[in-house]
Amino acid sequence: MTSELRSNFLRTQIQSDLEKGVVAELVTRFPPEPNGYLHIGHAKSITVNFGLAEQFGGRCHLRFDDTNPEKESQEYIDSIQEDVRWLGFQWSGEVRYASSYFQQFYEWALHLIDEGLAYVCDLSADDARRYRGTLTEPGRDSPFRDRMPEENRALFEQMRNGSFEDGSRVLRAKIDMSSPNINLRDPILYRIRRAHHHQTGDEWPIYPTYDFAHGQEDAIEGVTHSICTLEFEDHRPLYEWFLANLPVPHLPRQIEFARLNTSYTVTSKRTLKLLVDSGTVSGWDDPRMPTIAGLRRRGYPAAAIRHFCEEVGTSRSDSVVDVAMLESAVRDHLNQHAPRAMCVMTPLKLILTNLESDKDLIIANHPSDESKGSRSVTFSSQLWIDADDFREEANKKYKRLVLGKRVRLRGAYVIEAERCEHNEQGEVNCVYAKVIPNTVGEDPEDGIKPKGVIHWVSAVTGVSATIRLYDRLFTVPNPAKSDDVLSVVNPDSLREVNTAVVEPSLVHAAVESVYQFEREGYFVADRYDHSPSQPVFNLTIGLRDSWGTAK
RNA sequence: UGGGGUGUCGCCAAGUGGCAAGGCAGCGGGUUUUGAUCCCGCCAUUCGCAGGUUCGAAUCCUGCCACCCCAGCCA
């Protein structure tokens, strides 16, 4: 089942647990807090959790870790589900919510109180911090640490009933104020927050903390392997402490892996929000954003993102993956799947002097995949070619149209440039050329082969379109390390081209479908703005260009 | 410097005592009606450093060094 997949420590561990019968079936979960949009880092976590379940014939739950209502909202719950589905995964059973276990958590809190393992603490947030000590000094016991279980129970019930002010008291586990692991210095289990919850409404004036919720959620759901990121490693002893001291129905195991970081991108929620709020990008789904919604709108295929996540591997070492690897996965997928079409970005009129009549040429939609079919393209005496593809004179390294020389028009005839005209500024604004007869699919009979191949669009049937050329959002490999991220934003990350002309077949492109505009790159019909009357394409990623970098 | 982690090619990453996979990037060359794709070849005598054990170490031991995480009533 995993023979074709590279091994990693998670697969090795799970394989072993399954073989030894430690667990009968693998159960994982993707547990986002609905407080923001998912980004490429989450895609990795999703791929790891759902992927493992798929590979080992197990299940993966989608569970919202919604224990902090003040930061959460239904908008995020909706977008997260859409993103997970778009990536191609289906969670096992219904969507789950930590909040649906609140009553159970409350009862378990009472259990700890009765066992003398939890107490209500009246220290203010500031005082609690002072009592906690520092990294090198132990903390001190709270003066409320020795309250009797009966008193704690009464107090906690009053907390639950809304008798106290927000933040006035908390429930804490009684563990060890001198532990070198700060998470064990009597961690907070519940805080008073009379906040409206998107799922439970005003039912609860108290909410459990992450630590008092996560392991128990896993236990309730029968999760076998609770896979999270490295920063939770220090919480594992606490995770296990709750499982050991509560009558839970199942013992999940927490395993940590290194989160995904990619160069030239930023994933902190705060920074992403800053980009949106400052107007640097148009929104959370701007094609330049590393959000799933942004990558989607950019035209990155879900399969390419999944493949990338698999390719970078899963380990425990902090690392920054070169974003070129993501781009490579996108190109690789699109090269195989995207139909080809033609678009001229900077039109230059080409007049064919010896073409008797328009012709309908049949052009393949893919150079090597016949199943992609072909299309009819009108070849007329007035065409558009790209201004960059013509020069009055050039050295032999230039493989495009030159005065007096030949070039192949993609999928059509070989032509020879005869003369050109200039505008008042002295720029070439029209090229006259003759068609070399019988050269569709054939070399010229006189043996003089064309120098190269250029793309074109009929000036008669071509349709003008808006093209958005995107580039990396940041100019430095690690924008997060910058003191002022906005200062390292690439000023040319978006260039809108309004002069483009596309072949008519593209007018009916389905939104979100990606085409390769030959010799230019991959472009996606914008999810929201594209329409037959006003075509809008976003640059997904350019073709590799050894010429552009060599010249 | 209290605790927890991580160090294998420019960037990821397999490898778990038997003689350094693979991908990305890069560099050569070939094919080509996309300067794309594709194809061939090159790219770590060496695994953070220093000792030690062993016939044999990236893998075991010891000691250093570097980097990351933790002092939210965030997750």
Side-chain angles (χ1 to χ4, degrees):
Chain A
M1 94 186 65
T2 59
S3 53
E4 65 292 328
L5 295 172
R6 173 178 33 180
S7 75
N8 64 46
F9 77 104
L10 290 175
R11 294 212 255 252
T12 302
Q13 182 63 54
I14 291 168
Q15 182 86 276
S16 157
D17 289 347
L18 252 17
E19 281 169 1
K20 290 178 182 163
V22 176
V23 298
E25 181 191 22
L26 174 68
V27 181
T28 58
R29 101 270 92 114
F30 172 58
E33 181 187 14
N35 69 345
Y37 282 76
L38 259 27
H39 54 66
I40 185 70
H42 293 110
K44 175 61 186 290
S45 176
I46 290 168
T47 303
V48 165
N49 281 293
F50 283 91
L52 248 14
E54 247 169 40
Q55 292 143 32
F56 290 96
R59 320 192 306 262
C60 181
H61 297 174
L62 170 61
R63 179 178 73 225
F64 287 104
D65 215 351
D66 55 348
T67 57
N68 188 8
E70 290 169 316
K71 294 187 176 177
E72 303 158 4
S73 76
Q74 189 62 41
E75 174 193 359
Y76 299 128
I77 288 175
D78 295 339
S79 73
I80 288 169
Q81 292 184 57
E82 183 179 7
D83 289 347
V84 172
R85 271 195 234 99
W86 179 74
L87 277 172
F89 295 106
Q90 182 54 60
W91 46 91
S92 172
E94 296 296 304
V95 169
R96 295 150 208 261
Y97 295 87
S99 54
S100 60
Y101 313 136
F102 280 177
Q103 181 60 33
Q104 176 65 269
F105 295 163
Y106 177 71
E107 286 164 20
W108 277 338
L110 253 16
H111 175 86
L112 287 182
I113 288 171
D114 294 343
E115 295 288 313
L117 293 173
Y119 62 97
V120 171
C121 179
D122 303 358
L123 247 26
S124 68
D126 282 346
D127 284 335
R129 182 172 5 97
R130 293 186 192 100
Y131 273 81
R132 190 151 39 227
T134 69
L135 293 178
T136 53
E137 303 158 39
R140 290 137 50 211
D141 287 356
S142 160
F144 305 98
R145 198 172 199 262
D146 295 320
R147 285 216 260 232
M148 291 294 104
E150 298 68 33
E151 184 186 359
N152 284 317
R153 183 175 252 274
L155 249 17
F156 187 53
E157 283 169 351
Q158 287 179 75
M159 280 170 65
R160 190 266 174 272
N161 292 333
S163 307
F164 302 128
E165 294 283 293
D166 278 17
S168 61
R169 285 181 169 80
V170 294
L171 181 71
R172 291 228 250 171
K174 189 190 265 189
I175 305 181
D176 178 7
M177 286 308 290
S178 62
S179 171
N181 180 343
I182 293 179
N183 294 303
L184 262 21
R185 318 240 263 228
D186 289 10
I188 289 165
L189 276 38
Y190 269 95
R191 65 282 221 192
I192 301 172
R193 286 283 179 286
R194 283 178 260 217
H196 183 81
H197 190 285
H198 47 95
Q199 301 302 312
T200 59
D202 299 314
E203 189 185 339
W204 295 89
I206 56 174
Y207 291 96
T209 55
Y210 164 85
D211 285 314
F212 190 63
H214 209 92
Q216 289 88 298
E217 294 163 19
D218 290 334
I220 290 169
E221 296 182 6
V223 168
T224 57
H225 298 256
S226 184
I227 299 162
C228 62
T229 44
L230 254 24
E231 67 268 29
F232 291 102
E233 195 154 20
D234 288 342
H235 293 247
R236 196 170 64 223
L238 182 54
Y239 179 99
E240 289 168 349
W241 188 89
F242 289 125
L243 295 177
N245 288 288
L246 256 16
V248 294
H250 166 84
L251 293 179
R253 173 179 173 190
Q254 174 180 309
I255 306 180
E256 313 82 18
F257 73 100
R259 63 158 14 106
L260 168 70
N261 298 297
T262 52
S263 61
Y264 293 96
T265 101
V266 63
T267 50
S268 97
K269 225 159 266 177
R270 188 197 126 264
T271 310
L272 257 18
K273 188 173 182 334
L274 174 64
L275 291 167
V276 173
D277 293 345
S278 64
T280 303
V281 297
S282 64
W284 290 93
D285 63 353
D286 184 289
R288 291 164 292 182
M289 291 285 270
T291 50
I292 304 294
L295 297 173
R296 174 179 180 175
R297 196 168 172 195
R298 179 72 175 266
Y300 280 27
I305 294 171
R306 272 188 268 121
H307 186 241
F308 163 71
C309 290
E310 175 56 41
E311 260 192 342
V312 298
T314 305
S315 75
R316 288 172 59 84
S317 53
D318 287 311
S319 61
V320 181
V321 175
D322 191 337
V323 75
M325 222 160 145
L326 207 209
E327 297 173 341
S328 169
V330 171
R331 284 197 185 94
D332 186 54
H333 182 277
L334 258 17
N335 174 52
Q336 295 173 57
H337 302 283
R340 315 284 117 135
M342 293 193 277
C343 166
V344 172
M345 301 281 172
T346 313
L348 170 60
K349 180 67 69 68
L350 175 72
I351 295 174
L352 301 175
T353 56
N354 61 338
L355 188 72
E356 330 75 64
S357 61
D358 289 2
K359 297 188 185 303
D360 288 325
L361 301 173
I362 303 302
I363 299 180
N365 291 329
H366 191 101
S368 56
D369 182 356
E370 286 185 22
S371 72
K372 290 266 186 295
S374 59
R375 64 194 188 282
S376 175
V377 183
T378 301
F379 186 74
S380 48
S381 59
Q382 296 217 0
L383 304 177
W384 295 116
I385 61 171
D386 199 285
D388 280 346
D389 289 338
F390 172 77
R391 285 189 194 173
E392 293 180 68
E393 51 187 71
N395 62 30
K396 46 264 134 228
K397 293 182 74 174
Y398 185 76
K399 308 202 309 188
R400 309 177 191 185
L401 187 60
V402 178
L403 228 41
K405 301 285 177 49
R406 293 179 178 180
V407 81
R408 156 83 62 189
L409 289 178
R410 173 90 221 204
Y413 293 88
V414 171
I415 59 167
E416 186 172 308
E418 300 173 311
R419 63 192 176 87
C420 62
E421 291 176 352
H422 304 257
N423 61 17
E424 304 75 53
Q425 287 78 242
E427 300 160 331
V428 175
N429 64 359
C430 183
V431 177
Y432 291 85
K434 66 178 178 192
V435 168
I436 307 300
N438 306 316
T439 50
V440 176
E442 306 287 342
D443 281 337
E445 291 160 356
D446 61 11
I448 303 174
K449 292 188 179 179
K451 200 66 167 44
V453 182
I454 64 173
H455 56 98
W456 54 278
V457 170
S458 164
V460 178
T461 61
V463 179
S464 71
T466 296
I467 306 292
R468 295 168 179 157
L469 299 177
Y470 293 103
D471 196 358
R472 289 175 182 168
L473 224 204
F474 296 101
T475 57
V476 296
N478 193 342
K481 283 275 188 290
S482 172
D483 298 326
D484 174 17
V485 279
L486 295 184
S487 71
V488 293
V489 165
N490 177 4
D492 300 315
S493 62
L494 167 58
R495 211 182 95 220
E496 190 163 293
V497 175
N498 294 301
T499 55
V501 181
V502 298
E503 57 173 85
S505 67
L506 287 170
V507 163
H508 300 291
V511 295
E512 296 200 79
S513 57
V514 184
Y515 290 81
Q516 182 196 102
F517 288 176
E518 300 218 40
R519 304 210 308 135
E520 294 285 0
Y522 298 96
F523 293 79
V524 63
D526 189 80
R527 190 179 173 187
Y528 303 115
D529 303 331
H530 174 82
S531 72
S533 59
Q534 188 48 256
V536 178
F537 290 90
N538 302 328
L539 170 65
T540 300
I541 186 82
L543 257 22
R544 268 187 76 237
D545 183 11
S546 54
W547 164 249
T549 52
K551 69 184 176 187

